[in-house]
Amino acid sequence: EASYVPHITVYDGKFRKISVRVDRPNVAVHTRSGYFALPRLKGGQQLYSYEMPLLGALNAAVAPQDVTFQAAAERFDDRGPKIEYMVTLEAPLKGMTFTPEPDQKDSAVDAALLVLLKNSSGEIVEKFSKDFAVQVATDKVDAYKAGHLVQTFRTELPPGAYTLEAAIMDRNGNKIGMNKSSLVVPEPSKKLSMSDVVVVRRTDALKNNQILDAFYFPGGKVVPTLTKTLKGGPGNILPFYFAVYPDRATKDAVKLTMSFYKEGQYLGAAEA
């Protein structure tokens, strides 16, 4: 047996090939073809098997676009030294493949997603992933397809320039899609500030929740949407969510005014 510890200078998540040659005859060499250059991240997490094809897609010369989805990082607490962000992935389920189970009573969707955050040097500073396998009654598949797969992750980032790389895989349909965007994290602030404004898809009720991140509130959780087009007309509402961080140096009450415009035309304002 021979072991190999690569001298990696940048953990960029790319695939590095390995080849082994021997100068003796009649020797059979067994080795893997290479490895992904991934750092040891929080909790010592390394590479899961379902992440490998997603990493391959992110490193492909031609980006696969067979699955439509959106990915974004939205800023929240900026009290420092790191800035809190909520990363959201949203994919319409109508684009996923539902495969009937052997009993024909249920159908299953099988998906996986991966998010990488890279700094300006191209090094991975955060990795998030999720493996989904959901069964739905066959007669309810059409209604289920009207929904969206939404997954959120929390992270804290030092100021600087980053790249958000995301990939999602529909295993039943043998399809993969990817998305890349840039992110600039500002300097921390102790002054009065507010988070990004998030459009709300729905809120889920939760009891005795112990998780603390920007989308949780007493008794529930905000499920965001990255969709910017909403249904208008009577009976439809515009639900949105944000956080305000007061200046700790002043005791004055915070006054919040929200103004609304349509195509540049002022519609009205409200205070809270």
Side-chain angles (χ1 to χ4, degrees):
E1 293 187 4
S3 63
Y4 166 60
V5 179
H7 297 286
I8 301 175
T9 56
V10 176
Y11 289 94
D12 55 10
K14 292 185 177 180
F15 187 76
R16 312 289 176 84
K17 293 183 179 179
I18 293 175
S19 62
V20 178
R21 295 183 295 273
V22 295
D23 58 2
R24 285 174 46 192
N26 303 318
V27 173
V29 178
H30 299 273
T31 182
R32 55 180 173 167
S33 59
Y35 62 93
F36 288 100
L38 289 173
R40 289 182 177 270
L41 297 168
K42 291 183 296 186
Q45 62 165 310
Q46 296 190 55
L47 182 65
Y48 298 109
S49 59
Y50 67 84
E51 296 175 344
M52 294 178 66
L54 296 169
L55 277 169
L58 291 175
N59 292 317
V62 179
Q65 301 292 343
D66 297 327
V67 179
T68 300
F69 74 102
Q70 293 177 281
E74 290 154 326
R75 179 186 53 79
F76 278 85
D77 195 347
D78 59 355
R79 297 307 173 90
K82 295 181 179 181
I83 311 299
E84 180 186 34
Y85 277 83
M86 294 301 299
V87 179
T88 301
L89 268 74
E90 181 176 23
L93 286 166
K94 65 181 180 182
M96 297 290 182
T97 305
F98 287 76
T99 302
E101 295 289 281
D103 61 5
Q104 299 296 314
K105 294 181 180 179
D106 295 317
S107 293
V109 60
D110 194 3
L113 58 87
L114 172 70
V115 179
L116 301 178
L117 280 163
K118 296 182 178 180
N119 60 19
S120 57
S121 300
E123 187 167 25
I124 296 171
V125 296
E126 284 278 25
K127 175 174 72 75
F128 304 106
S129 67
K130 186 77 173 180
D131 200 19
F132 292 92
V134 179
Q135 286 189 340
V136 183
T138 301
D139 60 354
K140 296 181 179 179
V141 167
D142 289 342
Y144 197 77
K145 282 186 175 182
H148 289 69
L149 187 160
V150 181
Q151 183 66 39
T152 62
F153 306 97
R154 179 187 181 275
T155 186
E156 292 182 342
L157 298 170
Y162 296 83
T163 302
L164 188 156
E165 301 184 2
I168 188 166
M169 175 173 52
D170 173 8
R171 277 189 285 257
N172 289 341
N174 194 27
K175 299 184 296 184
I176 293 181
M178 64 163 292
N179 185 310
K180 292 186 180 183
S181 59
S182 58
L183 172 67
V184 177
V185 176
E187 294 291 330
S189 172
K190 294 183 180 179
K191 302 295 184 180
L192 174 68
S193 65
M194 63 177 286
S195 71
D196 290 340
V197 177
V198 177
V199 179
V200 177
R201 176 168 292 280
R202 67 176 190 274
T203 57
D204 292 341
L206 293 173
K207 292 183 179 179
N208 303 319
N209 176 57
Q210 300 300 314
I211 300 174
L212 296 176
D213 71 35
F215 285 154
Y216 287 87
F217 59 90
K221 178 189 177 182
V222 168
V223 179
T225 178
L226 302 179
T227 300
K228 299 304 180 184
T229 302
L230 301 174
K231 187 177 181 180
N236 293 297
I237 63 172
L238 169 62
F240 56 94
Y241 172 82
F242 58 91
V244 176
Y245 304 99
D247 185 341
R248 292 172 179 165
T250 179
K251 302 300 182 182
D252 295 338
V254 174
K255 179 182 178 181
L256 174 68
T257 302
M258 298 170 286
S259 299
F260 298 87
Y261 297 80
K262 179 184 178 184
E263 298 175 350
Q265 181 180 356
Y266 176 73
L267 299 180
E271 294 185 357

